Amino acid sequence: LYYLTGGLSAPDPRQREALIQLEASMQTGGQMVLTDVEQLLDALLFKMKQEEIARADFPPAMHFFKARDLIRTSPIFNLLQKMPKGGALHVHDFGMVDVEWLVKNVTYRPHCYMCFTDIQSVRFIFSSRWPKALPHCSPWTLLENLRAKMVNTTDLDNSIMGNMTLFTDQDPETLYPSQDVIWDKFEQTFLALWGLVTYAPVFRDYYYQGLTQFYMDNVMYLELRALLPEIYELDGSTHDAAWTLKTYQEVTRQFTADHPDFFGARIIFTIHRGVNASVMASVVEEAMKLQRDFPDIMAGFDMVGREDRGRPLWYFRDALSLPVERGVTLPFFFHAGETDLEGSEVDQNLLDALLLNTSRIGHGFALLRHPVAKDISRKRGVALEVCPISNQVMKLVKDLRNHPAAALMSENHPVVISSDDPGMFGSSGLSYDFYEAFVGFGGIRSNLGTLKELAINSLRYSSLTPKQQEKAVVLWQRRWDTFVSENAF
Amino acid sequence: LYYLTGGLSAPDPRQREALIQLEASMQTGGQMVLTDVEQLLDALLFKMKQEEIARADFPPAMHFFKARDLIRTSPIFNLLQKMPKGGALHVHDFGMVDVEWLVKNVTYRPHCYMCFTDIQSVRFIFSSRWPKALPHCSPWTLLENLRAKMVNTTDLDNSIMGNMTLFTDQDPETLYPSQDVIWDKFEQTFLALWGLVTYAPVFRDYYYQGLTQFYMDNVMYLELRALLPEIYELDGSTHDAAWTLKTYQEVTRQFTADHPDFFGARIIFTIHRGVNASVMASVVEEAMKLQRDFPDIMAGFDMVGREDRGRPLWYFRDALSLPVERGVTLPFFFHAGETDLEGSEVDQNLLDALLLNTSRIGHGFALLRHPVAKDISRKRGVALEVCPISNQVMKLVKDLRNHPAAALMSENHPVVISSDDPGMFGSSGLSYDFYEAFVGFGGIRSNLGTLKELAINSLRYSSLTPKQQEKAVVLWQRRWDTFVSENAF
Ligand SMILES: [Zn+2]
Ligand SMILES: [Zn+2]
């Protein structure tokens, strides 16, 4: 590959140049051949990045909560928003919409009740009658009544909002001093919005709104990890998982009909990793059934919840082997390696995900510490879904220039960029995460070729069939060419 | 190397075990064969590490200034202190001794004058007459007189001490919010202690004291990066670099005579990277001369100062090529990649250090982002001198579990552990850095074999001749065996 004289002579500048070029060609996008117009845009982008890096406050080095306003003024961010980014492959059902929409739209709907929990969180329910009291919660208040008594509802709305997101104007380091604290709050936010988003009419609107926000951010395709929970109606009646999945399908179809240049969405059915082995076995059974009955919308199966506290994949190996034993297809998209507990049982999740033939890896933050798993992931083309802002907010990494994906992208390890729970983090869509990846761990060397490869990766590593992928790439390429020619001059 | 069935069948637990073993065998020390007694100690160590990781306050995840007291109570740290660690290959001349010794011993010597600078730092000088005033500094005070007027000198001594170290009881994040701030303070501390340590009698004692502190920490060999500055006498007369180097040699000999189980020390001559090309050329000339005249004590050449602000190696390529052009030996031990400015000119230092045939790399923090440089470093056996606490204090990494050496050690990349400027960081010797490496980025999997390989690395990658290395390893092995047998039960 290369040859160094090893100190027998003074270093040769041509050899140096060749090695620098070699290294550049190894990175994500390093093999992309750029058209003349793309090269123009690339030159522009390079200049913008140099200016960005010269700033005193370099956003990727800061906590996202503090960096967000700076990022919004960044010309690179502005460009990334316009850029067709392909698909978002790692997004969760109830973290896809910004919480302001939940407060300003959903909590203003009729029949919305709220109570306050012992630990100052909130719970909601929509009900045609006065709902039964919840344990550890104050008596229910009809929000309509509560707001009617107030001169100014801003404080109330802000306090509700604060309960449904991790984002804060306070110093995040002080407010969330440890992973334990932030994960507790993370789980509380889900409980807070649970009663809102699992109400059938809201459920549909929420998902439609989520698709809208990604679509507006120039994302053309989505793979949504969804719990498929029981969805309830105003009279208290409920729907099962199949109904929920079908509803996802219907809303997706509706959205695609309304926005013909949106390619679609698929669902990865998820279950909390806190369950035991026998529950897991029955959930896998259900997943196989759903996969058979809804092959178009259903992409596969995964587990959610904090890896460090949940059960490791290997604990569930019998349940997770059921599909293979039965000769049934159930693709896996496992979260794995979202941890810095190196060498723990949970740290084996990466290897075990690969042994269980996972199609992609959610996060894979710890992959660099696992050379064997890394090698398998590369050789098998198992892409990592890298979610930079999520990893920072959840306290796995502070300065995003140090994100392990910097090393992975320097050798073109298969990765896609995603946003996990943008609503929880005060971001939205995919552009903020693309910004952190491109300006932060991409470094100066990452270029338009990198962005292009990341966007294409998001379709190539999706669960779409090869034929669908071809179609999606063609659609994407058309929009990409427009984007390039509109911004290169 | 390994074969995966790729989802055609349920995962085979034997295959899993084999892959886990394979990965374990790839790490630093993974090929070490442990004796029966070593295995006993290893089992003990594993238990201790599990307990350590279960602590609520996990020291490697914290800033060292806050973690230090916790580390001191750690049984693992206690063991690491007793462990024969081999050599410390990356330590700087005026950061090797804790500053308490400087204050309590050196500033209490007669003829010691002090002044206060405009920016609340201090300067010192020893002089037989009243010294000439310094620009931007208050009139000189004789410390003896000042202290005589005080009832209690503790506050004064503490304030002097605070000027000579980065260590602080205050919140380090608040006090040092950015790399710029901490580097400025870092440079001020050197200026503060400069007048003390360059006074000939103190210079000798300081170095002897430094050797003592490393020796007491069970380090048997040292490679010291030294500026070889002008050393002055009480009458204001000064000595040149050759005198300084010879003094290092004499003190080393004295120390080895006093402590026959100490193997010795060698000097890497350093110059600040802020100089221009012509100054560098003359310094390299001087270095070649010193290398010729003092082949025993002189190990080679390096540059110091903040990489991000200094000139890149490539700027100095002509000067640094002089030895090769003349056919003269001058080994290089370049600091390189102590940066998170990926893709900048300075970020090329890693590759350029290798092109210039460096013998080792100081820090190499950015190596993971440079696959070509990483490959050359591995193939040529160019070890990285990893200084975990330094990297954390200088704000390259927050949680030491995320240090890039975690990935490098998982594939047994050539590394040694060192402490850079322990006096500046409030640590001492080598054990604190070994603790961070072993418990922090070593993870649960790193074991006694890892520690053994790290210790042996520190001799094998030293500048000692192969014959000297053999001798040093034999000496080390004897002490290691005693250590193991004394602690395994
Ligand atoms: Zn996730
Ligand atoms: Zn150094």
Side-chain angles (χ1 to χ4, degrees), chain B residues 90 92 335 363 420-421:
Chain B
H90 187 128
H92 291 272
H335 279 77
H363 295 295
D420 212 1
D421 295 285

Side-chain angles (χ1 to χ4, degrees), chain A residues 242-368:
Chain A
W243 182 93
T244 311
L245 188 54
K246 219 163 62 199
T247 304
Y248 274 126
Q249 188 162 31
E250 284 164 15
V251 177
T252 307
R253 281 185 187 153
Q254 182 60 50
F255 189 87
T256 317
D258 299 346
H259 307 86
D261 57 340
F262 187 74
F263 194 78
R266 302 191 78 206
I267 302 294
I268 297 166
F269 176 30
T270 57
I271 175 85
H272 197 282
R273 63 178 76 250
V275 301
N276 65 27
S278 70
V279 172
M280 184 60 79
S282 67
V283 173
V284 170
E285 299 270 6
E286 190 183 7
M288 290 189 283
K289 200 161 161 292
L290 291 169
Q291 187 76 43
R292 189 194 64 202
D293 296 345
F294 302 92
D296 288 349
I297 187 83
M298 172 107 166
F301 183 72
D302 185 18
M303 272 168 245
V304 297
R306 185 178 179 192
E307 272 184 83
D308 289 341
R309 286 295 152 88
R311 295 194 156 106
L313 282 176
W314 196 245
Y315 167 82
F316 297 115
R317 62 191 176 280
D318 291 339
L320 298 173
S321 300
L322 285 176
V324 157
E325 279 167 18
R326 306 244 183 104
V328 169
T329 302
L330 180 66
F332 293 139
F333 298 86
F334 291 128
H335 279 76
E338 189 186 6
T339 181
D340 43 24
L341 296 180
E342 184 184 354
S344 63
E345 223 189 335
V346 156
D347 197 32
Q348 287 304 335
N349 278 352
L350 277 167
L351 181 62
D352 291 336
L354 291 161
L355 285 168
L356 289 160
N357 201 30
T358 196
S359 299
R360 292 192 306 265
I361 289 171
H363 296 295
F365 187 83
L367 190 68
L368 278 186

Side-chain angles (χ1 to χ4, degrees), chain A residues 90 92 225 335 338 363 420-421:
Chain A
H90 187 128
H92 291 272
R225 279 165 165 88
H335 279 76
E338 189 186 6
H363 296 295
D420 213 0
D421 295 286

